[in-house]
Amino acid sequence: MTTTDRASAAERLIESTRELLWERGYVGTSPKAIQQRSGVGQGSMYHHFDGKPDLALAAISRTAAELRTKGEAQLDAPGTALDRITAYLRRERDVLKGCPVGRLTQDPEVMADPTLRRPVEETFDWLRGRFTDLLAEGRAAGEFTPALDPAATAATIVAVLQGGYVLARAADETAPFTAAVDGVLGLLAAAGPTAERRS
Protein backbone atom coordinates (compact mmCIF):
# COMPACT_ATOMS: atom_id res chain seq x y z
CA MET A 1 0.00 0.00 0.00
CA THR A 2 1.42 3.39 -0.96
CA THR A 3 1.64 6.41 1.35
CA THR A 4 -1.21 8.00 -0.62
CA ASP A 5 -3.36 4.88 -0.17
CA ARG A 6 -2.66 4.87 3.58
CA ALA A 7 -3.55 8.56 3.86
CA SER A 8 -6.69 7.96 1.84
CA ALA A 9 -7.72 5.09 4.12
CA ALA A 10 -7.23 7.24 7.23
CA GLU A 11 -9.24 10.07 5.64
CA ARG A 12 -12.08 7.73 4.72
CA LEU A 13 -12.14 6.35 8.24
CA ILE A 14 -12.30 9.81 9.81
CA GLU A 15 -14.94 11.11 7.41
CA SER A 16 -17.07 7.97 7.78
CA THR A 17 -16.86 8.23 11.57
CA ARG A 18 -17.89 11.89 11.43
CA GLU A 19 -20.97 11.01 9.38
CA LEU A 20 -21.92 8.10 11.61
CA LEU A 21 -21.49 10.07 14.84
CA TRP A 22 -23.81 12.75 13.47
CA GLU A 23 -26.37 10.19 12.30
CA ARG A 24 -26.22 7.57 15.06
CA GLY A 25 -24.22 8.91 18.00
CA TYR A 26 -21.22 7.23 19.60
CA VAL A 27 -22.97 4.07 20.79
CA GLY A 28 -24.50 3.49 17.37
CA THR A 29 -21.17 3.96 15.62
CA SER A 30 -19.61 0.53 15.71
CA PRO A 31 -16.19 -0.33 14.25
CA LYS A 32 -17.99 -2.62 11.79
CA ALA A 33 -20.26 0.24 10.65
CA ILE A 34 -17.22 2.48 10.20
CA GLN A 35 -15.45 -0.16 8.12
CA GLN A 36 -18.53 -0.71 5.96
CA ARG A 37 -19.08 3.02 5.40
CA SER A 38 -15.42 3.75 4.66
CA GLY A 39 -14.62 0.61 2.67
CA VAL A 40 -11.52 0.15 4.84
CA GLY A 41 -10.73 -3.25 6.35
CA GLN A 42 -10.26 -4.01 10.03
CA GLY A 43 -6.50 -4.45 9.74
CA SER A 44 -6.06 -1.07 8.08
CA MET A 45 -8.37 0.60 10.58
CA TYR A 46 -6.33 -0.63 13.55
CA HIS A 47 -3.12 0.24 11.74
CA HIS A 48 -4.16 3.91 11.68
CA PHE A 49 -6.07 4.16 14.96
CA ASP A 50 -5.79 2.43 18.33
CA GLY A 51 -9.52 1.78 18.43
CA LYS A 52 -12.93 3.37 18.29
CA PRO A 53 -12.21 6.07 20.94
CA ASP A 54 -9.05 7.18 19.09
CA LEU A 55 -10.89 7.35 15.78
CA ALA A 56 -13.87 9.12 17.38
CA LEU A 57 -11.54 11.74 18.85
CA ALA A 58 -10.04 12.42 15.42
CA ALA A 59 -13.53 12.70 13.93
CA ILE A 60 -14.93 14.95 16.70
CA SER A 61 -11.85 17.18 16.62
CA ARG A 62 -12.16 17.61 12.86
CA THR A 63 -15.88 18.40 13.10
CA ALA A 64 -15.20 20.97 15.82
CA ALA A 65 -12.41 22.58 13.79
CA GLU A 66 -14.62 22.72 10.70
CA LEU A 67 -17.41 24.38 12.67
CA ARG A 68 -14.98 27.04 13.89
CA THR A 69 -13.61 27.66 10.41
CA LYS A 70 -17.09 28.07 8.95
CA GLY A 71 -18.11 30.28 11.86
CA GLU A 72 -15.15 32.60 11.50
CA ALA A 73 -16.17 33.24 7.88
CA GLN A 74 -19.22 35.10 9.21
CA LEU A 75 -17.89 36.37 12.54
CA ASP A 76 -14.75 37.92 11.01
CA ALA A 77 -16.55 39.44 8.03
CA PRO A 78 -17.01 43.20 7.59
CA GLY A 79 -20.08 44.83 9.10
CA THR A 80 -21.56 45.66 12.45
CA ALA A 81 -21.59 43.20 15.33
CA LEU A 82 -25.28 42.54 14.69
CA ASP A 83 -24.62 42.00 10.96
CA ARG A 84 -22.01 39.36 11.74
CA ILE A 85 -24.06 37.61 14.41
CA THR A 86 -27.03 37.60 12.02
CA ALA A 87 -24.91 36.10 9.25
CA TYR A 88 -23.72 33.35 11.59
CA LEU A 89 -27.22 32.50 12.86
CA ARG A 90 -28.83 32.59 9.41
CA ARG A 91 -26.17 30.67 7.52
CA GLU A 92 -27.25 27.53 5.71
CA ARG A 93 -27.44 24.46 7.98
CA ASP A 94 -28.85 20.95 7.88
CA VAL A 95 -31.17 21.88 10.73
CA LEU A 96 -33.08 18.60 11.00
CA LYS A 97 -29.86 16.64 11.48
CA GLY A 98 -28.99 18.89 14.42
CA CYS A 99 -25.70 20.52 15.31
CA PRO A 100 -22.90 17.99 14.68
CA VAL A 101 -21.13 19.15 17.86
CA GLY A 102 -24.19 19.92 19.97
CA ARG A 103 -25.68 16.49 19.37
CA LEU A 104 -22.65 14.92 21.04
CA THR A 105 -23.70 16.46 24.38
CA GLN A 106 -26.64 14.02 24.36
CA ASP A 107 -24.27 11.06 24.11
CA PRO A 108 -23.50 9.71 27.61
CA GLU A 109 -20.33 7.90 26.52
CA VAL A 110 -18.85 11.02 24.92
CA MET A 111 -19.72 13.17 27.94
CA ALA A 112 -18.29 10.58 30.36
CA ASP A 113 -14.92 10.56 28.56
CA PRO A 114 -12.91 13.74 29.31
CA THR A 115 -10.82 13.28 26.16
CA LEU A 116 -13.81 12.98 23.83
CA ARG A 117 -15.70 15.72 25.67
CA ARG A 118 -12.84 18.24 25.44
CA PRO A 119 -13.32 19.33 21.78
CA VAL A 120 -17.07 19.71 22.44
CA GLU A 121 -16.43 21.94 25.47
CA GLU A 122 -13.77 23.91 23.63
CA THR A 123 -16.09 24.54 20.69
CA PHE A 124 -18.84 25.98 22.88
CA ASP A 125 -16.30 28.00 24.87
CA TRP A 126 -14.99 29.41 21.60
CA LEU A 127 -18.47 30.28 20.33
CA ARG A 128 -19.54 31.98 23.56
CA GLY A 129 -16.24 33.84 23.60
CA ARG A 130 -16.61 35.05 20.00
CA PHE A 131 -20.16 36.24 20.61
CA THR A 132 -19.09 37.92 23.87
CA ASP A 133 -16.31 39.81 22.08
CA LEU A 134 -18.60 40.85 19.24
CA LEU A 135 -21.31 42.07 21.60
CA ALA A 136 -18.76 43.99 23.66
CA GLU A 137 -17.41 45.52 20.45
CA GLY A 138 -20.93 46.49 19.39
CA ARG A 139 -21.71 47.98 22.80
CA ALA A 140 -18.48 50.02 22.75
CA ALA A 141 -19.39 51.31 19.28
CA GLY A 142 -22.82 52.43 20.51
CA GLU A 143 -24.61 49.70 18.56
CA PHE A 144 -26.14 48.28 21.76
CA THR A 145 -27.29 49.88 24.98
CA PRO A 146 -24.62 50.05 27.74
CA ALA A 147 -26.94 47.87 29.86
CA LEU A 148 -26.36 44.88 27.59
CA ASP A 149 -24.27 42.17 29.29
CA PRO A 150 -22.07 40.67 26.53
CA ALA A 151 -21.23 37.40 28.32
CA ALA A 152 -24.78 36.65 29.47
CA THR A 153 -26.20 37.58 26.08
CA ALA A 154 -23.63 35.41 24.29
CA ALA A 155 -24.64 32.45 26.46
CA THR A 156 -28.28 33.15 25.57
CA ILE A 157 -27.55 33.19 21.83
CA VAL A 158 -25.75 29.83 22.01
CA ALA A 159 -28.56 28.34 24.10
CA VAL A 160 -31.21 29.58 21.67
CA LEU A 161 -29.26 28.21 18.70
CA GLN A 162 -28.92 24.75 20.25
CA GLY A 163 -32.50 24.81 21.50
CA GLY A 164 -33.66 25.73 18.02
CA TYR A 165 -32.11 22.55 16.68
CA VAL A 166 -33.93 20.49 19.32
CA LEU A 167 -37.30 22.12 18.61
CA ALA A 168 -36.87 21.65 14.87
CA ARG A 169 -35.98 17.98 15.25
CA ALA A 170 -38.94 17.42 17.60
CA ALA A 171 -41.32 19.01 15.07
CA ASP A 172 -39.55 17.47 12.06
CA GLU A 173 -39.52 20.85 10.35
CA THR A 174 -37.19 23.82 10.27
CA ALA A 175 -39.76 26.48 11.23
CA PRO A 176 -39.08 26.30 15.01
CA PHE A 177 -35.36 26.84 14.41
CA THR A 178 -36.07 29.85 12.17
CA ALA A 179 -38.47 31.26 14.78
CA ALA A 180 -35.88 30.87 17.55
CA VAL A 181 -33.25 32.68 15.46
CA ASP A 182 -35.73 35.42 14.54
CA GLY A 183 -36.59 35.82 18.23
CA VAL A 184 -33.05 36.22 19.50
CA LEU A 185 -32.18 38.62 16.68
CA GLY A 186 -35.28 40.64 17.54
CA LEU A 187 -34.09 40.85 21.14
CA LEU A 188 -30.67 42.04 19.99
CA ALA A 189 -32.25 44.66 17.73
CA ALA A 190 -34.35 45.83 20.68
CA ALA A 191 -31.14 46.27 22.69
CA GLY A 192 -30.08 49.07 20.36
CA PRO A 193 -28.82 52.42 21.67
CA THR A 194 -32.37 53.83 22.02
CA ALA A 195 -33.42 51.00 24.39
CA GLU A 196 -32.55 52.94 27.57
CA ARG A 197 -34.41 56.04 26.40
CA ARG A 198 -37.53 53.93 25.77
CA SER A 199 -37.45 52.39 29.25
Side-chain angles (χ1 to χ4, degrees), residues 3-73:
T3 303
T4 302
D5 290 337
R6 285 194 293 271
S8 176
E11 281 297 304
R12 293 202 310 276
L13 286 164
I14 293 171
E15 287 303 312
S16 296
T17 304
R18 290 178 66 196
E19 293 169 5
L20 288 164
L21 286 172
W22 197 6
E23 294 168 12
R24 305 181 186 181
Y26 186 83
V27 173
T29 301
S30 66
K32 184 177 180 180
I34 295 168
Q35 291 160 27
Q36 289 175 338
R37 178 73 63 98
S38 65
V40 175
Q42 181 176 341
S44 182
M45 176 175 167
Y46 288 102
H47 170 76
H48 292 290
F49 300 97
D50 292 338
K52 177 180 167 180
D54 186 37
L55 182 49
L57 177 61
I60 293 168
S61 297
R62 180 174 293 182
T63 295
E66 185 179 276
L67 188 147
R68 290 190 193 197
T69 299
K70 286 182 178 177
E72 291 294 358

